């Protein structure tokens, strides 16, 4: 565990005073150690005779659990086994995941979790979190307090289940995967997080026709009723947990951005689909620009060195595309001092109607999207303008795909991009749609079409590419939100920030970019040698720890933090607070100190 959690020294894992005993202790997922209870604790807590004779280490328990896991042949069966383990022993669950991080994250998160969600009404599993249904709006506060009373909640992940990646509207379902990643990778204490489902119905006809569907079997509430229901929930969070982080997850395109905008100035709120995607993409582009500027091949060319020097074409103008454009635009304003209007002019957004420009009549554009529409003086005519036409005319240096249109970055498009670049320049191409079959291009094709010069990151994992031109192997970075959002969240919680500001997001992105393997190797070799633009996912816990420290420091600098620490104290405070999956020593609380907290089964 040292490699994954060396940012948490063993001496900082404090003993825990608890009042549970006997079978009650063994059935508490939060406190159960199973066969790892040492003999002294077995005697103290009335466990003698309730467990087999031999005491196991956590490492031995992980080995046994992994053996059971491997006997499951399908990913969904592995998911079910891990869910069962989670319901028995939280520490063992997270310890097992941490030891096999890259292998098991796709089992408990994307893509396997999507299958578990679609089967939610057909599977028996222990209920987790809080379900708030529209017909119970009048007793929402009572239900909220019943679930949270006596608990120190630092993170709430809330969903209305309308836009789950790859499967759309699933109505009511599980909302725990994001909370798990916050703990596994971000170090948030699991007992202090709360997953919440806002059940406002579903427009998925298959669910409405399913007699086993466990949610409220009505069409989705829209308009004023929906806004009132969401606002009532948010105000409960602000009233009872004013310093917690409120994470909005899988909200539909008509609600996600406006809900984020409505509350972001009054509470620490976050939307990973918008801000997490934008932040990790910003980090990737920062890394790529820096690599390009260090390369010998481009040293003599007038290659652009700053964010504001780039020309960005974004193919896909939904929540992700708009989130990326907004995050990049805000970073340009912050880092390079451009006005908002001038920064907006660095972007060309393309959706199903083609390039968004003033002469194209498009209904329903939001205010944020409207300001990124290309001005009339560019004279695009009144027709739909294709991706190829935009690339040929505007000569982008950065091409980003979040369209879910597999293969959209054709050889013709990429070669047109190359023709528009300065000699020796590195095109930055990010096909971010996932899963892999929906990627706008494969890294292998991009490398061959650009003669090995492209700087690439993808939204799904791909194998490394050995480029025929120079024989070098290129490591393909996965532009994975989990490399940054757990750290952003932990930083906000650590500092008890009153909001998640744009400058905090940018600070986190800069820190992630600075940890790029490609940047470190290029800096030492004075030439890009094919290393990945972002850290490997296996290093995500350490990476997010660094991101969290940077975010907390920024919150303190700008005065949004409730904690009144000195900047130099933040790293130590983070090391003390971060949660890691190890068994602490138990001390019996004979007087029932913290009794209520101890009896909450997480």
């Amino acid at each position: 565990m040292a490699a994954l959690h060396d940012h948490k020294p063993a001496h900082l894992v404090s003993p825990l005073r608890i009042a549970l005993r006997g079978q009650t202790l063994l059935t508490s997922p939060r406190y159960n150690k199973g066969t790892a209870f040492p003999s002294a604790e077995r005697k103290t807590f009335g466990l003698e005779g309730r467990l087999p004779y031999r005491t196991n280490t956590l490492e031995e328990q992980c080995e046994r659990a992994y053996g059971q896991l491997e006997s499951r042949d399908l990913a969904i069966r592995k998911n079910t086994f891990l869910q069962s383990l989670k319901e028995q022993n939280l520490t063992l669950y997270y310890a097992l995941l941490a030891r096999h991080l890259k292998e098991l994250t796709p089992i408990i998160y994307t893509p396997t979790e999507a299958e578990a969600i679609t089967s939610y009404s057909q599977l028996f599993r222990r209920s987790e979190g809080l379900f708030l249904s529209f017909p119970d709006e009048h007793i929402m506060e009572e239900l909220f307090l019943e679930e949270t009373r006596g608990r120190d909640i630092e993170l709430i992940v809330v969903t209305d289940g309308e836009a789950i990646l790859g499967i759309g509207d699933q109505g009511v379902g599980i909302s725990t995967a994001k909370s798990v990643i916050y703990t596994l990778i971000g170090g948030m204490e699991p007992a202090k997080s709360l997953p919440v489902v806002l059940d406002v119905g579903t427009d998925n006809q298959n669910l409405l026709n399913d007699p086993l569907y466990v949610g409220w079997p009505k069409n989705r509430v829209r308009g004023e009723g929906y806004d009132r229901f969401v606002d009532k929930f948010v105000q409960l969070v602000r009233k009872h947990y004013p310093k917690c982080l409120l994470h909005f997850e899988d909200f539909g395109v008509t609600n996600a951005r406006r809900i984020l905008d409505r509350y972001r100035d009054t509470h620490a709120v976050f939307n990973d689909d918008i801000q997490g995607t934008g932040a990790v993409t910003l980090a990737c582009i920062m890394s790529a620009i820096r690599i390009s500027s260090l390369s010998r091949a481009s040293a003599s060319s007038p290659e652009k060195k700053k964010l504001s020097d780039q020309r960005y074409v974004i193919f896909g103008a939904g929540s992700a595309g708009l989130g990326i454009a907004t995050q990049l635009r805000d970073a340009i304003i912050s880092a390079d001092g451009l006005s908002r209007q001038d920064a907006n002019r660095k972007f060309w957004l393309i959706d199903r109607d083609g390039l968004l420009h003033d002469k194209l009549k498009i209904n329903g554009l939001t205010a944020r999207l409207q300001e990124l529409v290309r001005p009339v003086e560019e004279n695009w005519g009144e027709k739909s303008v294709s991706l190829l036409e935009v690339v040929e005319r505007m000569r982008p240096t950065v091409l980003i795909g979040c369209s879910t249109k597999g293969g959209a970055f054709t050889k013709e498009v990429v070669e047109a991009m190359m023709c528009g670049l300065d000699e020796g320049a590195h095109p930055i191409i990010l096909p971010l749609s996932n899963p892999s079959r929906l990627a706008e291009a494969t890294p292998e094709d991009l490398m061959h079409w650009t003669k090995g010069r492209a700087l690439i990151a993808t939204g799904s994992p791909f194998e490394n590419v050995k480029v025929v031109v120079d024989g070098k192997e290129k490591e393909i970075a996965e532009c994975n939100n989990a490399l940054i959002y757990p750290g952003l969240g932990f930083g906000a919680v650590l500092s008890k920030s009153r909001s998640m500001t744009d400058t905090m997001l940018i600070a986190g992105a800069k820190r992630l970019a600075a940890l790029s393997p490609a940047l470190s190797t290029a800096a030492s070799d004075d030439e890009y040698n094919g290393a990945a633009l972002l850290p490997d996912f296996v290093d995500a816990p350490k990476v997010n720890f660094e991101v969290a420290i940077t975010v907390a420091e920024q919150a303190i600098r700008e005065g949004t933090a409730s904690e009144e620490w000195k900047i130099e104290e933040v790293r130590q405070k983070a090391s003390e607070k971060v949660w890691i999956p190890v068994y602490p020593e138990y001390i019996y609380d004979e007087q029932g100190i913290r009794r209520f907290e101890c009896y909450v089964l997480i």
Side-chain angles (χ1 to χ4, degrees):
M1 294 296 290
L4 281 175
H5 300 295
D6 51 9
H7 48 272
K8 177 79 168 187
H11 71 272
L12 293 180
V13 180
S14 302
L16 190 62
R17 300 182 66 88
I18 62 174
L20 299 181
R21 284 179 56 82
Q23 193 64 25
T24 306
L25 178 56
L26 292 177
T27 55
S28 166
R30 180 179 176 186
Y31 299 111
N32 181 27
K33 296 182 183 180
T35 57
F37 276 108
S39 57
E41 288 183 4
R42 295 185 185 201
K43 183 175 182 179
T44 300
F45 291 94
L47 301 177
E48 292 177 308
R50 297 179 186 271
L51 293 167
Y53 174 79
R54 183 164 176 256
T55 296
N56 289 126
T57 64
L58 180 57
E59 192 65 44
E60 289 171 334
Q61 287 183 315
C62 285
E63 185 178 347
R64 178 187 297 127
Y66 187 68
Q68 288 182 265
L69 181 72
E70 283 192 305
S71 69
R72 273 67 176 176
D73 54 345
L74 300 177
I76 188 62
R77 292 182 179 176
K78 294 178 187 288
N79 177 283
T80 302
F81 171 78
L82 288 170
Q83 179 65 26
S84 174
L85 182 62
K86 182 184 177 186
E87 293 166 3
Q88 298 174 61
N89 185 327
L90 271 180
T91 300
L92 177 55
Y93 169 76
Y94 283 108
L96 179 64
L97 294 178
R99 284 159 171 77
H100 304 277
L101 186 67
K102 204 165 185 176
E103 175 189 354
L104 297 186
T105 297
I107 301 297
I108 53 100
Y109 191 49
T110 304
T112 310
E113 187 69 356
E115 186 176 353
I117 292 172
T118 58
S119 305
Y120 185 69
S121 292
Q122 282 72 43
L123 298 175
F124 284 104
R125 60 193 304 168
R126 179 175 178 171
S127 180
E128 292 183 79
L130 178 61
F131 295 82
L132 299 174
S133 301
F134 191 77
D136 296 328
E137 180 181 2
H138 62 291
I139 57 170
M140 184 188 291
E141 184 165 21
E142 178 183 335
L143 300 177
F144 182 85
L145 292 176
E146 185 67 28
E147 175 64 23
T148 62
R149 188 176 289 110
R151 294 178 60 183
D152 179 15
I153 303 296
E154 295 181 333
L155 167 69
I156 295 177
V157 178
V158 60
T159 183
D160 72 355
E162 184 177 7
I164 298 173
L165 180 63
I167 55 176
D169 185 349
Q170 295 300 310
V172 69
I174 43 183
S175 62
T176 58
K178 219 74 174 187
S179 299
V180 168
I181 298 298
Y182 267 115
T183 293
L184 178 65
I185 295 175
M188 304 276 265
E189 186 175 346
K192 295 184 178 182
S193 67
L194 175 68
V196 177
V197 175
L198 300 181
D199 183 5
V200 292
T202 178
D203 290 335
N204 184 330
Q205 200 59 45
N206 289 333
L207 295 178
L208 293 175
N209 293 337
D210 184 357
L212 297 181
Y213 177 56
V214 296
W216 184 47
K218 301 291 182 181
N219 286 108
R220 280 190 174 271
V221 176
R222 305 284 183 183
E224 182 181 343
Y226 176 87
D227 288 348
R228 183 187 66 245
F229 190 73
V230 172
D231 186 64
K232 186 169 185 176
F233 168 73
V234 174
Q235 298 312 324
L236 284 177
V237 173
R238 294 187 63 206
K239 175 182 177 181
H240 296 287
Y241 295 98
K243 296 176 182 177
C244 86
L245 175 68
L246 179 56
H247 177 121
F248 294 109
E249 180 70 10
D250 293 330
F251 281 74
V253 65
T254 58
N255 294 317
R257 169 57 74 173
R258 68 184 190 88
I259 289 175
L260 179 65
D261 289 344
R262 180 176 182 180
Y263 298 110
R264 65 178 309 185
D265 293 332
T266 59
H267 194 86
V269 298
F270 182 75
N271 186 309
D272 182 45
D273 299 322
I274 297 171
Q275 294 163 299
T277 300
V280 74
T281 306
L282 170 60
C284 194
I285 292 172
M286 285 177 167
S287 171
I289 292 173
R290 183 63 176 151
I291 293 305
S292 193
S293 69
L294 289 172
S295 173
R296 287 196 201 101
S298 61
S300 60
S301 77
E303 190 171 8
K304 309 304 184 181
K305 313 299 187 194
K306 299 187 296 185
L307 284 168
S308 58
D309 290 331
Q310 312 305 312
R311 299 179 295 276
Y312 303 89
V313 168
I314 301 178
F315 187 59
S319 293
L322 180 58
I324 290 169
T326 301
Q327 195 71 69
L328 288 167
R329 188 269 316 279
D330 292 344
I332 289 170
I333 294 170
S334 174
D336 299 339
L338 270 67
S339 69
R340 186 182 181 98
Q341 182 177 10
D342 287 344
N344 282 334
R345 296 283 75 85
K346 301 293 180 181
F347 298 89
W348 287 262
L349 268 65
I350 302 169
D351 72 356
R352 65 174 65 89
D353 297 306
L355 175 69
L356 300 183
H357 64 89
D358 265 350
K359 287 287 188 177
L360 190 66
K361 293 179 172 52
I362 306 174
N363 295 323
L365 288 185
T366 64
R368 282 182 177 268
L369 201 53
Q370 184 65 53
E371 65 179 337
L372 292 165
V373 169
R374 300 308 301 179
V376 66
E377 56 265 26
E378 287 189 357
N379 192 26
W380 292 98
E382 298 185 7
K383 63 182 180 65
S384 175
V385 182
S386 70
L387 170 63
L388 179 59
E389 291 176 279
V390 174
V391 171
E392 288 177 331
R393 177 172 166 183
M394 301 319 303
R395 302 173 58 201
T397 59
V398 180
L399 179 61
I400 302 170
C402 39
S403 65
T404 67
K405 302 288 185 185
F409 294 170
T410 63
K411 182 179 182 181
E412 189 177 15
V413 167
V414 173
E415 289 180 342
M417 182 181 184
M418 290 293 291
C419 288
L421 297 179
D422 299 319
E423 184 179 354
H426 292 279
I428 301 170
I429 307 178
L430 312 179
L432 301 181
S433 292
N434 53 50
S436 303
R437 60 183 175 80
L438 300 181
E440 286 78 10
T442 67
E444 184 175 12
D445 282 342
L446 292 176
M447 282 297 181
H448 288 303
W449 296 338
T450 63
K451 295 181 171 57
R453 298 213 54 78
L455 299 175
I456 302 169
T458 60
S460 297
F462 280 88
E463 296 294 328
N464 293 341
V465 178
K466 192 174 182 73
V467 183
V468 175
V469 177
D470 55 12
K472 292 181 180 178
E473 186 172 71
K474 308 289 186 178
E475 294 181 43
I476 305 303
E478 184 181 353
C479 198
N480 191 323
N481 294 19
L483 285 172
I484 194 167
Y485 83 78
L488 295 172
F490 185 53
V493 167
L494 177 66
S495 62
K496 297 183 179 177
S497 181
R498 290 177 287 273
S499 61
M500 178 76 82
T501 65
D502 291 332
T503 45
M504 290 164 65
L505 295 171
I506 293 169
K510 286 181 177 178
R511 183 64 181 127
L512 175 58
L515 296 171
S516 162
L519 185 57
S520 61
T521 55
S524 61
D525 298 341
D526 197 29
E527 177 68 22
Y528 175 56
N529 67 356
L533 296 177
L534 293 174
D536 192 281
F537 187 74
V538 74
D539 295 320
K542 289 183 286 189
V543 168
N544 276 281
F545 184 73
E546 294 300 322
V547 169
I549 291 171
T550 302
V551 169
E553 290 173 345
Q554 179 62 29
I556 291 169
R557 286 192 190 93
E558 63 190 46
T560 61
S562 297
E563 295 287 8
E564 297 181 358
W565 297 332
K566 296 178 181 178
I567 295 296
E568 53 269 24
E569 295 180 284
V570 173
R571 182 172 293 275
Q572 177 65 23
K573 297 292 186 181
S575 294
E576 292 171 356
K577 185 173 181 61
V578 68
W579 186 89
I580 61 174
V582 297
Y583 292 130
E585 176 190 355
Y586 286 173
I587 300 172
Y588 184 50
D589 184 357
E590 295 187 54
Q591 297 180 349
I593 299 172
R594 296 166 58 191
R595 179 178 289 112
F596 190 88
E597 178 187 351
C598 290
Y599 277 92
V600 175
L601 301 184
I602 302 303

